[in-house]
Amino acid sequence: MKDARQRIIMPLGGRLQLALDFEVTPRMVYKALNFEGHSELAQRLRAAALERGGQLYEAVSASEQAGAIN
């Protein structure tokens, strides 16, 4: 079973600028970029983050990585 978590990493100051532009709290931006919410606003925040230079990362559990090697 795949146990991967996605996250969008922003350049320095990018999260704060998103919060200011969308008039939301920095916590809302954090939750959206860590895929903790799936609302329309969260999806728009993720899209804007990727347009502004954010990088999408996917963390895979160590047990799955070991299984892929063998």
Side-chain angles (χ1 to χ4, degrees):
M1 176 169 57
K2 189 172 185 177
D3 185 26
R5 293 193 41 93
Q6 291 181 319
R7 158 183 291 183
I8 297 175
I9 306 295
M10 291 289 296
L12 185 62
R15 287 184 180 206
L16 180 58
Q17 192 59 50
L18 276 175
L20 293 172
D21 292 346
F22 280 81
E23 298 180 351
V24 296
T25 63
R27 179 69 180 159
M28 176 62 195
V29 174
Y30 171 85
K31 290 179 78 166
L33 298 187
N34 284 292
F35 290 80
E36 293 180 13
H38 301 291
S39 66
E40 181 182 333
L41 176 59
Q43 292 173 4
R44 289 189 332 202
L45 283 166
R46 287 191 284 270
L50 292 172
E51 289 174 3
R52 296 176 186 197
Q55 295 292 316
L56 179 64
Y57 288 91
E58 188 170 335
V60 181
S61 68
S63 61
E64 184 168 323
Q65 286 180 344
I69 295 171
N70 293 331

